[in-house]
């Protein structure tokens, strides 16, 4: 959380740069996995993060700073926007007139009992966002799911993953080299006409 302007933020950014250097030395790409705000904000830091949305906005800004500090003209760094998917669901439920914090809401179901770690639903959503980020493939075409996850919830979570990666992607930053691509792939994956993958 760069907004906290603390030594922890500086150390975190330095660690991100060091990890990116290791990935580059191994001729690999760096993908930052954007996490999500706590469901009810952070009670220990209530002035900065009183609720989910405030916390998510700061997380989002922090991950973008990681990407800005590690990108170069010949090598981008990517953000897998799982936190954006949590935010999209939160905002969708409010737009429908629902309370995302109600225990019966799909947003609430993204969290384990501590309101911080992901539940089965949150883990599935995060994995779908990561899958789409890394492959360029449409997650709504996936059919497998854990048994406890209903088909209706699976379809809603996969649609959210598609929304944040393809339909309404985050605005990537413009670097000193100009606009950089958002993902390692240029166009979303297209299945061959004969259906063979």
């Amino acid at each position: 959380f760069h907004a906290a302007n603390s030594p922890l933020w500086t150390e975190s950014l330095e660690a991100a740069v060091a990890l990116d250097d290791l990935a580059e030395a191994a001729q690999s790409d760096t993908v930052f996995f954007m996490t999500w705000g706590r469901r009810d904000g952070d009670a220990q830091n209530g002035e900065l993060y009183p609720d989910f949305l405030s916390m998510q906005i700061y997380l989002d800004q922090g991950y973008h700073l990681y990407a800005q500090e590690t990108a170069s003209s010949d090598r981008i760094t990517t953000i897998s926007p799982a936190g954006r998917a949590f935010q999209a669901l939160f905002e969708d439920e409010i737009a429908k007139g629902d309370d995302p914090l109600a225990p019966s809401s799909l947003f609430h179901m993204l969290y384990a009992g501590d309101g911080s770690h992901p539940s089965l639903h949150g883990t599935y959503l995060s994995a779908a966002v990561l899958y789409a980020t890394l492959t360029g493939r449409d997650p709504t075409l996936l059919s497998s799911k854990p048994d406890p996850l209903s088909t209706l919830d699976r379809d809603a979570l996969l649609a959210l993953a598609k929304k944040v990666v393809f339909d309404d992607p985050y605005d990537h930053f413009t670097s000193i080299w100009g606009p950089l691509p958002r993902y390692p792939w240029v166009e979303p994956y297209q299945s061959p006409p004969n259906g063979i993958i």
Side-chain angles (χ1 to χ4, degrees):
F1 299 110
H2 78 284
N5 197 22
S6 71
L8 287 176
W9 162 249
T10 304
E11 291 171 15
S12 178
L13 181 59
E14 289 170 354
V17 170
L19 288 170
D20 178 64
D21 288 345
L22 292 172
E24 184 175 14
Q27 299 179 345
S28 297
D29 295 320
T30 297
V31 178
F32 292 106
F33 180 79
M34 181 192 291
T35 54
W36 44 87
R38 293 180 180 167
R39 185 185 62 223
D40 304 306
D42 183 358
Q44 294 180 339
N45 296 288
E47 286 187 25
L48 284 174
Y49 322 118
D51 52 37
F52 163 77
L53 198 53
S54 300
M55 195 169 188
Q56 184 56 46
I57 288 168
Y58 285 126
L59 276 167
D60 194 290
Q61 292 170 349
Y63 280 99
H64 275 80
L65 286 172
Y66 285 165
Q68 283 180 311
E69 291 296 318
T70 54
S72 65
S73 61
D74 59 349
R75 185 174 171 276
I76 66 162
T77 51
T78 301
I79 300 170
S80 180
R84 282 272 174 104
F86 278 59
Q87 181 178 345
L89 180 55
F90 182 87
E91 291 172 343
D92 287 350
E93 290 189 348
I94 288 176
K96 290 189 297 188
D98 297 333
D99 178 4
L101 299 179
S104 60
S105 76
L106 188 57
F107 175 78
H108 195 281
M109 287 190 274
L110 296 177
Y111 292 87
D114 65 1
S116 179
H117 292 89
S119 65
L120 174 73
H121 285 71
T123 300
Y124 189 81
L125 174 59
S126 300
V129 171
L130 188 59
Y131 166 82
T133 299
L134 295 177
T135 67
R137 295 182 180 198
D138 181 350
T140 63
L141 301 178
L142 298 172
S143 59
S144 62
K145 66 174 187 63
D147 287 338
L149 188 66
S150 72
T151 302
L152 188 64
D153 287 352
R154 176 203 64 196
D155 292 347
L157 296 174
L158 294 178
L160 274 168
K162 181 178 188 249
K163 177 180 179 178
V164 298
V165 175
F166 299 113
D167 301 338
D168 188 21
Y170 68 90
D171 293 326
H172 207 0
F173 58 89
T174 299
S175 72
I176 59 173
W177 308 283
L180 295 175
R182 212 176 260 113
Y183 298 112
W185 38 267
V186 176
E187 295 293 333
Y189 176 84
Q190 300 292 322
S191 296
N194 59 8
I196 299 171
I197 296 177

